[in-house]
């Protein structure tokens, strides 16, 4: 599964991941391989990412944004 996190200024992250969790406006949620297509609004908080072949978790702080999941690709337009 591929994740891309983009801000108005730059691309913050792009890579292959195993799982990720996001700070949704209705509560935190996780996404795994073969997740159903969806669009969600994010609130201020941390995105937690587990990369493929890694046991280390990565964290990215966002002030909000929008997320789209489609065909095993997650795109985050973050503030």
């Amino acid at each position: 599964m591929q994740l891309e996190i983009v801000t108005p200024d730059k691309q913050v992250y792009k890579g292959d991941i195993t799982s990720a969790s996001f700070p949704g406006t209705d509560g935190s949620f996780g996404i795994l391989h073969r997740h159903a297509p969806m669009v969600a609004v994010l609130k201020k908080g941390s995105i937690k990412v587990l990369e493929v072949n890694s046991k280390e978790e990565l964290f990215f702080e966002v002030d909000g944004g929008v997320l789209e999941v489609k065909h095993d690709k997650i795109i985050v337009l973050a503030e």
Side-chain angles (χ1 to χ4, degrees):
M1 176 168 59
Q2 188 176 48
L3 171 65
E4 187 173 352
I5 302 173
V6 181
T7 69
D9 299 327
K10 63 182 176 179
Q11 182 179 60
V12 176
Y13 177 84
K14 183 174 183 177
D16 292 323
I17 65 167
T18 302
S19 65
S21 62
F22 300 90
T25 55
D26 293 330
S28 295
F29 62 94
I31 296 179
L32 298 170
H33 178 63
R34 295 186 182 182
H35 195 283
M38 68 178 280
V39 174
V41 178
L42 303 177
K43 67 179 183 179
K44 184 175 183 171
S46 293
I47 297 173
K48 181 172 74 171
V49 176
L50 182 60
E51 291 185 300
V52 173
N53 300 323
S54 176
K55 293 183 181 181
E56 185 178 331
E57 294 176 331
L58 302 175
F59 293 90
F60 302 95
E61 294 295 320
V62 295
D63 287 330
V66 178
L67 167 146
E68 178 189 39
V69 180
K70 190 174 180 181
H71 302 298
D72 252 2
K73 183 173 182 178
I74 306 166
I75 299 174
V76 177
L77 304 175
E79 296 177 19

